[in-house]
Amino acid sequence: MRTRPLKVALLGCGVVGSEVARIMTTHADDLAARIGAPVELAGVAVRRPSKVREGIDPALVTTDATALVKRGDIDVVVEVIGGIEPARTLITTAFEHGASVVSANKALLAQDGAALHALAEEQGRDLYYEAAVAGAIPLIRPLRESLAGDKVNRVLGIVNGTTNFILDKMDSTGAGYQEALDEATALGYAEADPTADVEGFDAAAKAAILAGIAFHTRVRLDDVYREGMTEVTAADFASARRMGCTIKLLAICERAADGGSVTARVHPAMIPLSHPLASVRGAYNAVFVESDAAGQLMFYGPGAGGAPTASAVLGDLVAVCRNKLSGATGPGDSAYTQLPVSPMGEVVTRYHISLDVADKPGVLAQVATVFAEHGVSIDTVRQQGKDGEASLVVVTHRASDASLNGTVEALRNLDTVRGVASIMRVEGE
């Protein structure tokens, strides 16, 4: 074993960063044995240096992150500060000054992953980011390495623990959205401002990363269709139960049937109770991968939290340090296919549409005619009426998003349709 330690700079010492530092200290001997050399925490960049950080030598703490990554003796920079800037500049500076990078920054990688990979390759450095998607779940490395000889066709998953907790609570207790969100906030699952989670921004960044790796093409955050879950109601769950389904906020990345394009999207969807993702409860994450040779694979585990995310960071740190010792680098960006990303209008799936209609003869025939005129085939229809008003629930066969949107617009123009109560996709079949 080499006695000279590999030096690690830690950018950020919050919930995840403090766990990374703790594990590096408490598991130092094991890490050294696995890597082939000791690892030394050489500096910790923070915004508030006066805060007491248990187990961290105050002499290592600095507010000058730029100076830390420019030192020249740093082997690996661990970036867990998040956001676009200053993280992007600090990572590029680290590459230019001899360090490889381990990051948990999903937003930055979804936006600028291609440029960062290009710079890492130019400088002969590693860029690893297992912790950027699904916390502790080993997912990126299996997609990037274990399935490198296979053809991945679909990635379907729950990649945000906050939204899964809320939807699970609504399903299991009958709670409304706000009530479930309040409980998630009280338990620490939801931030004070939950927008990034409940509006799907967090999941969309992860979908961009997963799609890029799975399909060997460049998918940016702007390419991902995003729809939040704030409009999901108890009535939607009641309809789902009648269909033998539940509702999840899903990240879905698919290769077109002809192999000529890909899609990436995030939105609430009904999935059958028989699907493995339907049983994912609480704040857990799970990702279902479908490929030609391996078939169907499911990855499941805690998707967030300090210790689980730090576990993924440390796994990357061990891999990068081993590469440093051997003078090699790991897998980089693989975007050789350069497939286009199709717009949401071309996505084909099933739909569940709930309409408020007049309770009188002929309404169903009018609605069915509109669906037929737009080329959308109906699978099932359920109607309930009372005191001149009725609800009509239509489940379609597979149709494109564009044709469904045209159908709904035409339905709104019918005098007998009072309103469209909800529209939800049906996935996982």
Side-chain angles (χ1 to χ4, degrees):
M1 178 185 293
R2 193 180 88 166
T3 57
R4 183 169 64 84
L6 292 161
K7 294 189 176 183
V8 177
L10 179 60
L11 307 183
C13 198
V15 173
V16 176
S18 60
E19 280 295 311
V20 170
R22 182 188 66 80
I23 295 171
M24 284 184 65
T25 301
T26 58
H27 295 179
D29 291 343
D30 285 341
L31 291 172
R34 294 166 192 172
I35 292 168
V39 287
E40 173 188 308
L41 188 59
V44 182
V46 300
R47 285 183 296 178
R48 295 185 296 276
S50 59
K51 181 179 177 181
V52 176
R53 295 173 172 85
E54 186 177 348
I56 296 177
D57 184 350
L60 296 178
V61 176
T62 178
T63 57
D64 194 343
T66 301
L68 178 59
V69 300
K70 280 185 174 181
R71 274 177 37 172
D73 64 335
I74 299 297
D75 294 291
V76 183
V77 169
V78 174
E79 183 271 310
V80 287
I81 56 178
I84 306 301
E85 288 292 356
R88 174 171 48 197
T89 298
L90 291 169
I91 289 173
T92 57
T93 302
F95 289 147
E96 291 164 353
H97 286 77
S100 289
V101 172
V102 172
S103 176
N105 195 330
K106 54 189 171 289
L108 177 58
L109 290 159
Q111 178 172 305
D112 290 324
L116 293 175
H117 270 295
L119 182 58
E121 183 176 359
E122 176 187 318
Q123 298 291 332
R125 317 295 180 214
D126 272 325
L127 174 61
Y128 276 50
Y129 43 90
E130 184 68 65
V133 180
I137 303 172
L139 180 59
I140 289 177
R141 191 171 289 115
L143 282 173
R144 192 160 67 170
E145 299 179 29
S146 303
L147 295 174
D150 205 344
K151 179 183 177 184
V152 176
N153 297 308
R154 194 171 197 232
V155 179
L156 172 77
I158 299 164
V159 295
N160 183 279
T162 300
T163 55
N164 198 58
F165 177 89
I166 293 170
L167 292 173
D168 182 40
K169 187 61 62 173
M170 292 175 70
D171 187 22
S172 61
T173 69
Y177 166 75
Q178 190 60 52
E179 182 183 351
L181 173 60
D182 290 344
E183 183 172 349
T185 304
L187 292 172
Y189 292 129
E191 302 286 346
D193 179 1
T195 302
D197 294 323
V198 299
E199 293 296 349
F201 290 102
D202 175 86
K206 295 169 182 175
I209 295 169
L210 290 175
I213 296 171
F215 306 133
H216 304 281
T217 197
R218 292 204 169 97
V219 180
R220 289 170 52 89
L221 181 58
D222 293 345
D223 296 321
V224 181
Y225 172 83
R226 178 195 55 78
E227 185 180 316
M229 47 151 285
T230 57
E231 300 301 318
V232 176
T233 66
D236 291 326
F237 274 103
S239 291
R241 281 191 289 273
R242 282 191 287 268
M243 289 177 58
C245 293
T246 188
I247 299 171
K248 300 291 186 182
L249 184 76
L250 298 178
I252 305 170
C253 311
E254 292 179 304
R255 189 191 300 268
D258 63 4
S261 64
V262 299
T263 59
R265 51 197 165 102
V266 168
H267 54 71
M270 294 182 180
I271 59 171
L273 293 175
S274 58
H275 194 281
L277 291 178
S279 61
V280 178
R281 312 301 296 269
Y284 274 70
N285 283 191
V287 178
F288 204 73
V289 177
E290 300 174 9
S291 68
D292 276 359
Q296 298 179 330
L297 306 170
M298 183 169 167
F299 301 83
Y300 170 85
T309 305
S311 171
V313 170
L314 267 294
D316 279 350
L317 179 63
V318 169
V320 170
C321 286
R322 286 172 175 170
N323 291 342
K324 276 277 185 180
L325 290 180
S326 66
T329 55
D333 191 23
S334 175
Y336 69 90
T337 63
Q338 298 183 3
L339 296 173
V341 182
S342 297
M344 187 62 187
E346 297 179 14
V347 170
V348 175
T349 188
R350 297 178 67 205
Y351 289 86
H352 175 282
I353 304 102
S354 179
L355 305 172
D356 295 326
V357 299
D359 185 18
K360 62 182 184 180
V363 173
L364 180 56
Q366 287 184 325
V367 169
T369 298
V370 170
F371 275 88
E373 289 173 347
H374 288 81
V376 179
S377 175
I378 293 176
D379 182 16
T380 62
V381 178
R382 186 178 70 255
Q383 184 174 5
Q384 292 179 311
K386 184 179 180 181
D387 299 329
E389 298 295 329
S391 64
L392 191 66
V393 175
V394 178
V395 179
T396 74
H397 288 291
R398 291 175 65 83
S400 72
D401 194 76
S403 62
L404 193 282
N405 286 339
T407 302
V408 171
E409 190 61 33
L411 288 171
R412 287 192 170 105
N413 291 327
L414 292 178
D415 291 339
T416 51
V417 174
R418 310 298 192 212
V420 180
S422 70
I423 304 170
M424 192 167 295
R425 297 167 183 85
V426 182
E427 301 282 352
E429 295 182 302

